[in-house]
Amino acid sequence: MKGFFGEFKEFISKGNVLDMAVGVIIGGAFGEIVNAFVVALTQAITAFTPSGDLKFDQLTWRGIEYGKLINAIISFLIIAFAVFLIVKAANKFKKEEVVDPTEKECPYCLSKINIKAVKCPHCTSDVADVK
């Protein structure tokens, strides 16, 4: 039995469980934001309809409730649009890391060489002035 609990302790302490728990909690909160946006957007869309309501779910044809499919498609598109806007806004806050180059190309033999090299180790050409 000690081996089982030892394995469980190792599983918990690896950090994967904690990362997953944080992901689930953040995902739930993010879901609430997206749902609120979808409700607001749906209300804005229904304001422009003549009846003031989107009643696609009541549409049927020979017993087939195709209105529910239309509602699901509209909901999916609104959710996808909301996620797109949120991700686009979040990407603006990301810092772009500028990495200085560590290599340059020899203009004579076109091989990659160290940025500080003054001679190409492949063709022995002077490359001190090449950037």
Side-chain angles (χ1 to χ4, degrees):
M1 266 329 232
K2 188 175 182 182
F4 175 78
F5 289 114
E7 286 180 32
F8 181 70
K9 180 182 174 187
E10 183 181 340
F11 172 73
I12 294 293
S13 65
K14 281 187 179 179
N16 295 341
V17 174
L18 184 60
D19 292 343
M20 185 173 54
V22 169
V24 168
I25 291 168
I26 295 296
F30 184 73
E32 289 180 25
I33 293 170
V34 171
N35 285 338
F37 183 78
V38 168
V39 168
L41 198 55
T42 304
Q43 289 173 348
I45 290 171
T46 57
F48 294 107
T49 60
S51 66
D53 194 9
L54 292 175
K55 297 190 179 195
F56 291 118
D57 58 344
Q58 297 173 358
L59 297 175
T60 60
W61 179 74
R62 294 188 182 185
I64 300 171
E65 297 176 339
Y66 68 91
K68 290 184 180 182
L69 176 63
I70 293 172
N71 267 350
I73 291 171
I74 291 172
S75 294
F76 171 78
L77 291 174
I78 293 172
I79 290 169
F81 182 68
V83 170
F84 169 74
L85 290 179
I86 292 170
V87 169
K88 187 172 175 137
N91 284 339
K92 287 184 180 181
F93 293 110
K94 284 186 179 179
K95 256 189 180 178
E96 289 189 25
E97 232 177 270
V98 178
V99 179
D100 291 333
T102 59
E103 293 182 329
K104 61 184 174 183
E105 192 174 79
C106 174
Y108 304 103
C109 68
L110 303 177
S111 61
K112 298 284 182 189
I113 58 175
N114 190 304
I115 195 87
K116 296 178 183 177
V118 293
K119 278 199 174 286
C120 176
H122 303 283
C123 68
T124 67
S125 302
D126 288 327
V127 292
D129 58 341
V130 177
K131 296 288 177 189

